[in-house]
Amino acid sequence: MASQSSEPTRIMMAVNESSIKGYPHASISSRTAFEWTVAKLVRSNAAGFRLLFLHVQVPDEDAFEDMDSIYASPEDFHNMNEKDRIRGLHLLEYFVKLCHQYEIPCEAWIKKGDPKELICSEVKRVKPDLLVVGSRGLGPFQRVFVGTVSEFCAKHADCPVITIKRKPADAPPDPVDD
Amino acid sequence: MASQSSEPTRIMMAVNESSIKGYPHASISSRTAFEWTVAKLVRSNAAGFRLLFLHVQVPDEDAFEDMDSIYASPEDFHNMNEKDRIRGLHLLEYFVKLCHQYEIPCEAWIKKGDPKELICSEVKRVKPDLLVVGSRGLGPFQRVFVGTVSEFCAKHADCPVITIKRKPADAPPDPVDD
């Protein structure tokens, strides 16, 4: 019998939205990382694990395009934040629902700011056993322009990190999309 | 119930010897990585996993000091290789015995050459679901001089990689030792 600790293994997963327009959905790499974690680590031992979903919202650069109103008062900004918040909740709901289907204990929360910095500070605070991050698996040329959250976390997070690359067959027409 | 594949999750572990003289033993970081894998991933689900231990033997730079004979004929080199081979087997025996205690299926083998290159080529050949490597957790200054196999593998191995850092409390007087 393998050594058995009473505490479940706490796996933190950083998840984000798809960048493909008209598709308000979990990104391909977030879903790939989640499916890999369940199939390869959790397996049939759902009670041995606890998944902690963190979604970091980035202030939306295209907000003016997406909105049908002009920012003229503090209330307009309040509405925008409210929209963002709802969008983030829908994203987390997707993963929490799947966990409930699989009977894997989980929790989920949203932070706002720079994803790479916030993921690392949340690791410090929450102290998971493992951090799983998805990656688009971009080549060196593409990486220079978009930066990669996964590389930063693998280097700076205060816990073991697994990076799960998106399958090449799942890549959208523009591989920078996800 | 979490999704359950019929095939066990195959975790490859690169293990090496202690560099501390007079201590012909698994390195501290190899043992730390193994213990973490069993406690945090395998847990009580021994049948769901298969551990694949790879030990890469590096031609020993201190061979002249360690040997009580002079290299004078091809047979002398044959003896050295034989000694190295036995040493590597003792190392693998340590991990295989622990797996048997825990009832975790495993296999183990030895390759000779450059560890970082061979670990990556064995990943290509064996196609594990996950590679676990131990790391001494050296600072940037120490890393420049000793190189780190774990960093190379995290970048170049064709599968997800977890790097498990040695606990600071376990570091020997010279942190480059292991």
Side-chain angles (χ1 to χ4, degrees):
Chain A
M1 200 62 157
S3 98
Q4 208 169 351
S5 95
S6 51
E7 294 295 315
T9 297
R10 295 160 73 241
I11 302 181
M12 188 163 137
M13 308 200 66
V15 296
N16 63 352
E17 275 191 310
S18 175
S19 62
I20 301 166
K21 280 188 197 283
Y23 202 60
H25 218 282
S27 68
I28 300 165
S29 52
S30 293
R31 282 183 286 139
T32 305
F34 172 75
E35 285 160 16
W36 186 92
T37 302
V38 171
K40 298 300 184 183
L41 301 185
V42 176
R43 301 184 59 97
S44 61
N45 186 14
F49 292 83
R50 185 174 185 87
L51 299 187
L52 316 173
F53 296 97
L54 167 63
H55 171 53
V56 181
Q57 268 182 14
V58 191
D60 193 345
E61 290 170 15
D62 296 335
F64 283 102
E65 283 179 22
D66 291 348
M67 301 287 290
D68 51 10
S69 61
I70 302 294
Y71 301 105
S73 73
E75 282 74 20
D76 293 339
F77 287 100
H78 174 75
N79 288 341
M80 188 195 69
N81 291 341
E82 195 63 19
K83 270 196 183 176
D84 274 0
R85 202 183 61 85
I86 289 166
R87 209 176 54 176
L89 285 180
H90 281 307
L91 175 69
L92 293 178
E93 190 184 22
Y94 171 81
F95 291 105
V96 170
K97 271 190 175 167
L98 284 172
C99 281
H100 277 250
Q101 279 176 30
Y102 296 144
E103 297 180 12
I104 305 169
C106 72
E107 55 198 87
W109 69 103
I110 297 175
K111 288 276 167 178
K112 201 155 198 152
D114 179 56
K116 60 186 192 312
E117 301 285 351
L118 267 170
I119 293 167
C120 291
S121 69
E122 287 296 276
V123 163
K124 268 204 173 65
R125 187 179 67 83
V126 169
K127 299 185 177 55
D129 295 302
L130 179 64
L131 171 68
V132 177
V133 284
S135 152
R136 287 164 293 185
L138 299 177
F141 180 76
Q142 295 158 328
R143 274 207 303 267
V144 170
F145 293 99
V146 300
T148 69
V149 170
S150 58
E151 275 185 31
F152 185 93
C153 294
K155 229 177 224 170
H156 295 103
D158 270 354
C159 75
V161 179
I162 310 187
T163 302
I164 304 296
K165 280 189 198 145
R166 188 175 64 185
K167 296 176 204 94
D170 291 344
D174 182 347
V176 169
D177 271 331
D178 191 25
Chain B
M1 199 62 158
S3 99
Q4 206 169 352
S5 96
S6 52
E7 293 296 316
T9 297
R10 295 161 72 241
I11 302 182
M12 188 163 135
M13 308 200 66
V15 295
N16 63 352
E17 274 191 311
S18 175
S19 63
I20 300 166
K21 281 186 195 280
Y23 201 60
H25 218 282
S27 67
I28 300 165
S29 53
S30 294
R31 282 183 286 140
T32 306
F34 172 75
E35 284 158 17
W36 186 91
T37 303
V38 172
K40 297 301 183 183
L41 301 185
V42 177
R43 301 184 58 97
S44 61
N45 186 14
F49 292 83
R50 185 174 186 87
L51 299 187
L52 316 173
F53 297 96
L54 167 63
H55 171 53
V56 181
Q57 268 182 12
V58 192
D60 192 346
E61 291 170 14
D62 296 333
F64 283 101
E65 282 178 23
D66 292 349
M67 301 286 291
D68 50 11
S69 62
I70 301 293
Y71 301 105
S73 73
E75 282 74 20
D76 293 339
F77 286 100
H78 174 75
N79 288 342
M80 186 195 70
N81 291 341
E82 195 62 19
K83 271 196 184 178
D84 273 0
R85 201 183 62 84
I86 289 165
R87 210 175 53 175
L89 285 181
H90 282 307
L91 175 69
L92 293 179
E93 191 184 20
Y94 171 81
F95 291 104
V96 170
K97 270 190 174 167
L98 285 172
C99 282
H100 277 249
Q101 279 175 31
Y102 296 143
E103 297 179 13
I104 306 168
C106 72
E107 55 199 84
W109 68 103
I110 296 175
K111 288 275 168 181
K112 201 154 201 157
D114 179 56
K116 59 186 193 308
E117 301 285 353
L118 267 170
I119 293 167
C120 291
S121 68
E122 287 297 276
V123 163
K124 270 204 170 66
R125 187 179 68 84
V126 169
K127 299 186 177 54
D129 295 302
L130 179 63
L131 170 68
V132 177
V133 283
S135 152
R136 288 165 291 185
L138 299 177
F141 180 77
Q142 296 157 328
R143 274 207 303 267
V144 170
F145 293 99
V146 301
T148 69
V149 171
S150 58
E151 276 186 31
F152 185 93
C153 293
K155 228 176 224 172
H156 296 103
D158 270 355
C159 76
V161 179
I162 310 187
T163 302
I164 304 296
K165 280 189 199 143
R166 188 175 65 186
K167 297 176 203 95
D170 291 344
D174 182 348
V176 169
D177 270 331
D178 192 25

